[in-house]
Amino acid sequence: MREYMDIGRVKALPIIEPIHICKDRNILKEYLENKEQEVMEIM
């Protein structure tokens, strides 16, 4: 994950990818579709 570090802030790619995988596998899909931005902000 260090390759995504940029001045102490983590870029979005490592956060977005698992969200998309969960949605594709129908894991919390409805929740993530409604709250994706909130989940990204928390992570």
Side-chain angles (χ1 to χ4, degrees), residues 2-42:
R2 289 186 182 144
E3 58 269 294
Y4 296 107
M5 297 299 277
D6 182 28
I7 320 172
R9 297 184 66 185
V10 178
K11 292 186 179 180
L13 184 60
I15 297 169
I16 294 171
E17 189 173 349
I19 292 172
H20 286 239
I21 291 169
C22 288
K23 286 169 45 178
D24 290 344
R25 294 180 181 176
N26 205 23
I27 300 169
L28 299 172
K29 183 177 181 176
E30 185 177 333
Y31 178 81
L32 290 171
E33 287 174 344
N34 294 324
K35 307 273 187 178
E36 183 171 347
Q37 186 62 39
E38 185 177 338
V39 171
M40 287 178 49
E41 288 172 5
I42 292 169

